[in-house]
Amino acid sequence: MFKIAVLASGGGTNLQSIIDSIDNENLNCKIEMVIGSKEGIYALERAKLKGIKSYVVNKKDYGDKTSDRILELTKGKVDLIVLAGYLSILQGNILREFKDRIINIHPSLIPSFCGPKMYGLKVHEAVISSGVKYTGCTVHFVNEEVDGGAIILQEVVPVYFEDTKEELQKRVLEKEHILLPKAIDLITRNKIEIINGKTRIE
Ligand code: GRF
C-alpha cells in the first residue's frame, strides 16, 4: 500500500479532501501520519477523528532542526510527503532523501503570486489588488526554491471585481480540494515523469 504523510498548519480542509477521497475510493493510499506545525490546529483534530497517527513538530521546540525531525518521523515509513496548507519551509536533508517525493499545494497559478512570504490570505489579497481576472491553484514538487519545483497540476479560478480575499480564498479552496487528491492519485499510479524541470503526465 502506498503510504503518505500529510503536513498541515491550519484547518486542514486539504487534509480532509484526501481523507474523503480515500474513503470514497477515488484514491488508493494510506495516510500513515499527519504532522502539524503546532498544537491545537484543527488538522490534528481531523486526524484524531479518523484514528490517524499524528505528531506536532513545532518550530519553537525544534528551530532549525524542524525539517530533520520531520525526516526522522517519515524516513522509511512513507512514500510521499504532502504539504497541505503547511506553512514552514522544508530544508536540508529531507529534500535530498525525499527528492521528487514531496508535493505542495499553493493557492495561485505559479509562477505568479508565490515565493517566500506569499501564503494564506496574502496571496488572494495580492491577486485582487493586481487586477488579474484569473487565479487558481497549483500542485507542485518541492525543491530548494520556495514554490519553485516542477508543476504537476493547475486549475484556473475567475476573479470578480467585487471579490473579498476571503471570498476568493473560498472559491480557490474548492478547486484545491479536487486538485490535491488528483495529484496524489497520479503519483500513486506512477503517472508522472519529470523532464528538465517539467512534468509529463501519462
Ligand atoms: C490553502 O489555501 C492552502 O493552499 C494553503 O493554506 C490554505 C489552507 O489550507 N497553503 P487548509 O484548509 O489548512 O488545508
Side-chain angles (χ1 to χ4, degrees):
M1 173 67 85
F2 193 96
K3 291 183 184 158
I4 66 173
V6 180
L7 275 55
S9 297
T13 63
N14 278 297
L15 164 64
Q16 192 63 49
S17 75
I18 302 169
I19 293 173
D20 294 344
S21 298
I22 295 172
D23 286 350
N24 300 334
E25 296 182 10
N26 289 323
L27 188 55
N28 186 20
C29 68
K30 179 179 182 234
I31 305 177
E32 184 63 22
M33 64 184 78
V34 169
I35 302 177
S37 60
K38 55 177 188 254
E39 302 277 358
I41 57 173
Y42 195 65
L44 291 168
E45 187 59 29
R46 290 181 200 268
K48 199 170 146 203
L49 288 169
K50 234 12 231 182
I52 302 168
K53 227 181 304 169
S54 65
Y55 303 92
V56 174
V57 181
N58 195 325
K59 236 190 160 124
K60 264 192 218 141
D61 298 332
Y62 290 94
D64 59 7
K65 296 272 177 289
T66 301
S67 294
D68 291 341
R69 173 64 184 144
I70 294 169
L71 176 58
E72 210 171 82
L73 291 169
T74 50
K75 194 175 172 179
K77 301 223 170 58
V78 301
D79 302 293
L80 179 73
I81 297 176
V82 179
L83 311 186
Y86 182 70
L87 296 182
S88 292
I89 290 166
L90 295 180
Q91 49 206 2
N93 283 337
I94 194 165
L95 299 178
R96 288 183 281 280
E97 295 276 354
F98 277 87
K99 185 168 164 32
D100 302 334
R101 290 191 298 134
I102 308 177
I103 62 170
N104 178 47
I105 182 141
H106 182 76
S108 77
L109 294 173
I110 289 175
S112 291
F113 308 105
C114 62
K117 306 216 169 113
M118 262 299 179
Y119 60 88
L121 282 171
K122 287 187 194 176
V123 177
H124 305 295
E125 197 173 11
V127 163
I128 289 172
S129 49
S130 77
V132 293
K133 300 296 184 192
Y134 291 96
T135 182
C137 47
T138 304
V139 181
H140 64 93
F141 285 106
V142 171
N143 63 11
E144 293 74 16
E145 191 191 334
V146 178
D147 297 328
I151 291 170
I152 303 169
L153 293 174
Q154 292 187 302
E155 184 65 56
V156 175
V157 173
V159 184
Y160 302 125
F161 186 81
E162 296 76 15
D163 271 342
T164 62
K165 51 189 187 220
E166 290 81 8
E167 283 163 346
L168 186 57
Q169 180 181 50
K170 191 163 169 265
R171 196 174 312 123
V172 172
L173 261 180
E174 281 168 20
K175 296 294 185 192
E176 290 182 43
H177 297 158
I178 299 167
L179 209 64
L180 187 58
K182 199 166 157 188
I184 299 169
D185 176 59
L186 289 170
I187 294 170
T188 62
R189 293 188 296 115
N190 215 7
K191 298 287 187 197
I192 303 177
E193 199 183 349
I194 306 178
I195 303 163
N196 297 330
K198 300 201 281 188
T199 60
R200 176 156 68 190
I201 299 175
E202 205 183 288

